[in-house]
PDB file of all heavy atoms in Angstrom:
ATOM      1  N   ARG D 231     -55.209 -59.216  35.736  1.00 96.00           N
ATOM      2  CA  ARG D 231     -54.729 -58.767  34.428  1.00 96.00           C
ATOM      3  C   ARG D 231     -55.218 -57.364  34.078  1.00 96.00           C
ATOM      4  O   ARG D 231     -54.475 -56.577  33.495  1.00 96.00           O
ATOM      5  CB  ARG D 231     -55.152 -59.777  33.362  1.00 96.00           C
ATOM      6  CG  ARG D 231     -54.442 -61.116  33.555  1.00 96.00           C
ATOM      7  CD  ARG D 231     -54.759 -62.107  32.471  1.00 96.00           C
ATOM      8  NE  ARG D 231     -53.929 -63.311  32.631  1.00 96.00           N
ATOM      9  CZ  ARG D 231     -53.861 -64.284  31.738  1.00 96.00           C
ATOM     10  NH1 ARG D 231     -54.565 -64.217  30.619  1.00 96.00           N
ATOM     11  NH2 ARG D 231     -53.081 -65.329  31.958  1.00 96.00           N
ATOM     12  N   LEU D 232     -56.451 -57.052  34.429  1.00 95.00           N
ATOM     13  CA  LEU D 232     -56.960 -55.711  34.160  1.00 95.00           C
ATOM     14  C   LEU D 232     -56.232 -54.657  34.996  1.00 95.00           C
ATOM     15  O   LEU D 232     -55.917 -53.570  34.513  1.00 95.00           O
ATOM     16  CB  LEU D 232     -58.463 -55.650  34.449  1.00 95.00           C
ATOM     17  CG  LEU D 232     -59.392 -56.218  33.376  1.00 95.00           C
ATOM     18  CD1 LEU D 232     -60.829 -56.175  33.848  1.00 95.00           C
ATOM     19  CD2 LEU D 232     -59.251 -55.459  32.064  1.00 95.00           C
ATOM     20  N   TYR D 233     -55.970 -54.985  36.242  1.00 96.00           N
ATOM     21  CA  TYR D 233     -55.262 -54.039  37.104  1.00 96.00           C
ATOM     22  C   TYR D 233     -53.822 -53.818  36.648  1.00 96.00           C
ATOM     23  O   TYR D 233     -53.295 -52.708  36.754  1.00 96.00           O
ATOM     24  CB  TYR D 233     -55.254 -54.548  38.553  1.00 96.00           C
ATOM     25  CG  TYR D 233     -56.473 -54.180  39.355  1.00 96.00           C
ATOM     26  CD1 TYR D 233     -57.309 -55.149  39.884  1.00 96.00           C
ATOM     27  CD2 TYR D 233     -56.792 -52.850  39.608  1.00 96.00           C
ATOM     28  CE1 TYR D 233     -58.430 -54.818  40.639  1.00 96.00           C
ATOM     29  CE2 TYR D 233     -57.902 -52.502  40.352  1.00 96.00           C
ATOM     30  CZ  TYR D 233     -58.720 -53.488  40.864  1.00 96.00           C
ATOM     31  OH  TYR D 233     -59.823 -53.143  41.599  1.00 96.00           O
ATOM     32  N   ASN D 234     -53.182 -54.870  36.163  1.00 96.00           N
ATOM     33  CA  ASN D 234     -51.751 -54.774  35.873  1.00 96.00           C
ATOM     34  C   ASN D 234     -51.436 -54.390  34.428  1.00 96.00           C
ATOM     35  O   ASN D 234     -50.288 -54.105  34.113  1.00 96.00           O
ATOM     36  CB  ASN D 234     -51.064 -56.108  36.186  1.00 96.00           C
ATOM     37  CG  ASN D 234     -49.556 -55.965  36.229  1.00 96.00           C
ATOM     38  OD1 ASN D 234     -49.011 -55.318  37.126  1.00 96.00           O
ATOM     39  ND2 ASN D 234     -48.861 -56.543  35.264  1.00 96.00           N
ATOM     40  N   GLN D 235     -52.410 -54.373  33.526  1.00 95.00           N
ATOM     41  CA  GLN D 235     -52.114 -54.102  32.123  1.00 95.00           C
ATOM     42  C   GLN D 235     -51.547 -52.688  31.927  1.00 95.00           C
ATOM     43  O   GLN D 235     -51.854 -51.772  32.687  1.00 95.00           O
ATOM     44  CB  GLN D 235     -53.369 -54.280  31.274  1.00 95.00           C
ATOM     45  CG  GLN D 235     -54.428 -53.197  31.496  1.00 95.00           C
ATOM     46  CD  GLN D 235     -55.537 -53.265  30.464  1.00 95.00           C
ATOM     47  OE1 GLN D 235     -55.314 -53.610  29.304  1.00 95.00           O
ATOM     48  NE2 GLN D 235     -56.763 -52.961  30.879  1.00 95.00           N
ATOM     49  N   PRO D 236     -50.697 -52.504  30.893  1.00 94.00           N
ATOM     50  CA  PRO D 236     -50.195 -51.164  30.585  1.00 94.00           C
ATOM     51  C   PRO D 236     -51.324 -50.285  30.063  1.00 94.00           C
ATOM     52  O   PRO D 236     -52.312 -50.796  29.519  1.00 94.00           O
ATOM     53  CB  PRO D 236     -49.151 -51.427  29.496  1.00 94.00           C
ATOM     54  CG  PRO D 236     -49.578 -52.713  28.863  1.00 94.00           C
ATOM     55  CD  PRO D 236     -50.176 -53.526  29.965  1.00 94.00           C
ATOM     56  N   VAL D 237     -51.186 -48.967  30.227  1.00 93.00           N
ATOM     57  CA  VAL D 237     -52.222 -48.032  29.774  1.00 93.00           C
ATOM     58  C   VAL D 237     -51.610 -46.967  28.867  1.00 93.00           C
ATOM     59  O   VAL D 237     -50.403 -46.723  28.912  1.00 93.00           O
ATOM     60  CB  VAL D 237     -52.918 -47.358  30.978  1.00 93.00           C
ATOM     61  CG1 VAL D 237     -53.658 -48.381  31.821  1.00 93.00           C
ATOM     62  CG2 VAL D 237     -51.905 -46.609  31.852  1.00 93.00           C
ATOM     63  N   ASP D 238     -52.458 -46.337  28.046  1.00 91.00           N
ATOM     64  CA  ASP D 238     -51.980 -45.261  27.184  1.00 91.00           C
ATOM     65  C   ASP D 238     -51.983 -43.956  27.968  1.00 91.00           C
ATOM     66  O   ASP D 238     -52.268 -43.922  29.169  1.00 91.00           O
ATOM     67  CB  ASP D 238     -52.814 -45.167  25.910  1.00 91.00           C
ATOM     68  CG  ASP D 238     -54.292 -44.888  26.198  1.00 91.00           C
ATOM     69  OD1 ASP D 238     -54.609 -44.400  27.309  1.00 91.00           O
ATOM     70  OD2 ASP D 238     -55.129 -45.139  25.311  1.00 91.00           O
ATOM     71  N   TYR D 239     -51.698 -42.855  27.269  1.00 88.00           N
ATOM     72  CA  TYR D 239     -51.573 -41.564  27.956  1.00 88.00           C
ATOM     73  C   TYR D 239     -52.908 -41.074  28.525  1.00 88.00           C
ATOM     74  O   TYR D 239     -52.949 -40.206  29.400  1.00 88.00           O
ATOM     75  CB  TYR D 239     -50.991 -40.515  27.004  1.00 88.00           C
ATOM     76  CG  TYR D 239     -51.918 -40.108  25.887  1.00 88.00           C
ATOM     77  CD1 TYR D 239     -52.673 -38.951  25.975  1.00 88.00           C
ATOM     78  CD2 TYR D 239     -52.033 -40.888  24.734  1.00 88.00           C
ATOM     79  CE1 TYR D 239     -53.531 -38.577  24.960  1.00 88.00           C
ATOM     80  CE2 TYR D 239     -52.884 -40.526  23.707  1.00 88.00           C
ATOM     81  CZ  TYR D 239     -53.630 -39.367  23.815  1.00 88.00           C
ATOM     82  OH  TYR D 239     -54.478 -39.003  22.797  1.00 88.00           O
ATOM     83  N   LEU D 240     -54.014 -41.647  28.041  1.00 86.00           N
ATOM     84  CA  LEU D 240     -55.328 -41.284  28.556  1.00 86.00           C
ATOM     85  C   LEU D 240     -55.758 -42.166  29.732  1.00 86.00           C
ATOM     86  O   LEU D 240     -56.821 -41.965  30.304  1.00 86.00           O
ATOM     87  CB  LEU D 240     -56.379 -41.380  27.438  1.00 86.00           C
ATOM     88  CG  LEU D 240     -56.236 -40.374  26.289  1.00 86.00           C
ATOM     89  CD1 LEU D 240     -57.253 -40.687  25.190  1.00 86.00           C
ATOM     90  CD2 LEU D 240     -56.415 -38.939  26.804  1.00 86.00           C
ATOM     91  N   GLY D 241     -54.911 -43.151  30.036  1.00 88.00           N
ATOM     92  CA  GLY D 241     -55.231 -44.049  31.129  1.00 88.00           C
ATOM     93  C   GLY D 241     -56.085 -45.228  30.731  1.00 88.00           C
ATOM     94  O   GLY D 241     -56.569 -45.963  31.585  1.00 88.00           O
ATOM     95  N   LYS D 242     -56.261 -45.435  29.417  1.00 90.00           N
ATOM     96  CA  LYS D 242     -57.062 -46.568  28.941  1.00 90.00           C
ATOM     97  C   LYS D 242     -56.177 -47.790  28.732  1.00 90.00           C
ATOM     98  O   LYS D 242     -55.037 -47.667  28.285  1.00 90.00           O
ATOM     99  CB  LYS D 242     -57.768 -46.208  27.631  1.00 90.00           C
ATOM    100  CG  LYS D 242     -58.839 -45.134  27.788  1.00 90.00           C
ATOM    101  CD  LYS D 242     -59.555 -44.872  26.472  1.00 90.00           C
ATOM    102  CE  LYS D 242     -60.660 -43.837  26.649  1.00 90.00           C
ATOM    103  NZ  LYS D 242     -61.383 -43.579  25.377  1.00 90.00           N
ATOM    104  N   GLY D 243     -56.713 -48.961  29.061  1.00 92.00           N
ATOM    105  CA  GLY D 243     -55.950 -50.188  28.936  1.00 92.00           C
ATOM    106  C   GLY D 243     -55.543 -50.481  27.502  1.00 92.00           C
ATOM    107  O   GLY D 243     -56.325 -50.283  26.570  1.00 92.00           O
ATOM    108  N   ILE D 244     -54.315 -50.952  27.314  1.00 94.00           N
ATOM    109  CA  ILE D 244     -53.801 -51.274  25.981  1.00 94.00           C
ATOM    110  C   ILE D 244     -54.198 -52.694  25.564  1.00 94.00           C
ATOM    111  O   ILE D 244     -54.485 -52.951  24.388  1.00 94.00           O
ATOM    112  CB  ILE D 244     -52.266 -51.105  25.956  1.00 94.00           C
ATOM    113  CG1 ILE D 244     -51.909 -49.614  26.136  1.00 94.00           C
ATOM    114  CG2 ILE D 244     -51.665 -51.651  24.654  1.00 94.00           C
ATOM    115  CD1 ILE D 244     -50.423 -49.351  26.259  1.00 94.00           C
ATOM    116  N   LEU D 245     -54.229 -53.616  26.517  1.00 96.00           N
ATOM    117  CA  LEU D 245     -54.523 -55.016  26.189  1.00 96.00           C
ATOM    118  C   LEU D 245     -56.014 -55.338  26.219  1.00 96.00           C
ATOM    119  O   LEU D 245     -56.499 -56.125  25.401  1.00 96.00           O
ATOM    120  CB  LEU D 245     -53.788 -55.942  27.171  1.00 96.00           C
ATOM    121  CG  LEU D 245     -52.262 -55.888  27.170  1.00 96.00           C
ATOM    122  CD1 LEU D 245     -51.704 -56.838  28.226  1.00 96.00           C
ATOM    123  CD2 LEU D 245     -51.708 -56.254  25.795  1.00 96.00           C
ATOM    124  N   TYR D 246     -56.743 -54.737  27.169  1.00 96.00           N
ATOM    125  CA  TYR D 246     -58.152 -55.085  27.346  1.00 96.00           C
ATOM    126  C   TYR D 246     -58.998 -53.827  27.507  1.00 96.00           C
ATOM    127  O   TYR D 246     -58.573 -52.850  28.122  1.00 96.00           O
ATOM    128  CB  TYR D 246     -58.343 -55.953  28.605  1.00 96.00           C
ATOM    129  CG  TYR D 246     -57.345 -57.067  28.762  1.00 96.00           C
ATOM    130  CD1 TYR D 246     -56.335 -56.993  29.731  1.00 96.00           C
ATOM    131  CD2 TYR D 246     -57.382 -58.201  27.961  1.00 96.00           C
ATOM    132  CE1 TYR D 246     -55.417 -58.018  29.885  1.00 96.00           C
ATOM    133  CE2 TYR D 246     -56.469 -59.233  28.106  1.00 96.00           C
ATOM    134  CZ  TYR D 246     -55.487 -59.132  29.073  1.00 96.00           C
ATOM    135  OH  TYR D 246     -54.563 -60.136  29.223  1.00 96.00           O
ATOM    136  N   ARG D 247     -60.228 -53.893  26.969  1.00 92.00           N
ATOM    137  CA  ARG D 247     -61.153 -52.759  27.096  1.00 92.00           C
ATOM    138  C   ARG D 247     -61.946 -52.816  28.397  1.00 92.00           C
ATOM    139  O   ARG D 247     -62.466 -51.808  28.855  1.00 92.00           O
ATOM    140  CB  ARG D 247     -62.123 -52.735  25.911  1.00 92.00           C
ATOM    141  CG  ARG D 247     -61.462 -52.453  24.574  1.00 92.00           C
ATOM    142  CD  ARG D 247     -62.502 -52.207  23.492  1.00 92.00           C
ATOM    143  NE  ARG D 247     -63.415 -53.337  23.334  1.00 92.00           N
ATOM    144  CZ  ARG D 247     -63.170 -54.385  22.543  1.00 92.00           C
ATOM    145  NH1 ARG D 247     -62.034 -54.426  21.847  1.00 92.00           N
ATOM    146  NH2 ARG D 247     -64.034 -55.372  22.437  1.00 92.00           N
ATOM    147  N   GLY D 248     -62.051 -54.015  28.968  1.00 92.00           N
ATOM    148  CA  GLY D 248     -62.819 -54.155  30.196  1.00 92.00           C
ATOM    149  C   GLY D 248     -62.932 -55.611  30.592  1.00 92.00           C
ATOM    150  O   GLY D 248     -62.252 -56.486  30.045  1.00 92.00           O
TER     151      GLY D 248
END
Side-chain angles (χ1 to χ4, degrees):
R231 293 184 174 189
L232 281 176
Y233 274 119
N234 194 68
Q235 70 170 326
V237 296
D238 60 20
Y239 69 98
L240 293 174
K242 293 183 178 181
I244 293 174
L245 298 178
Y246 315 107
R247 294 190 302 273

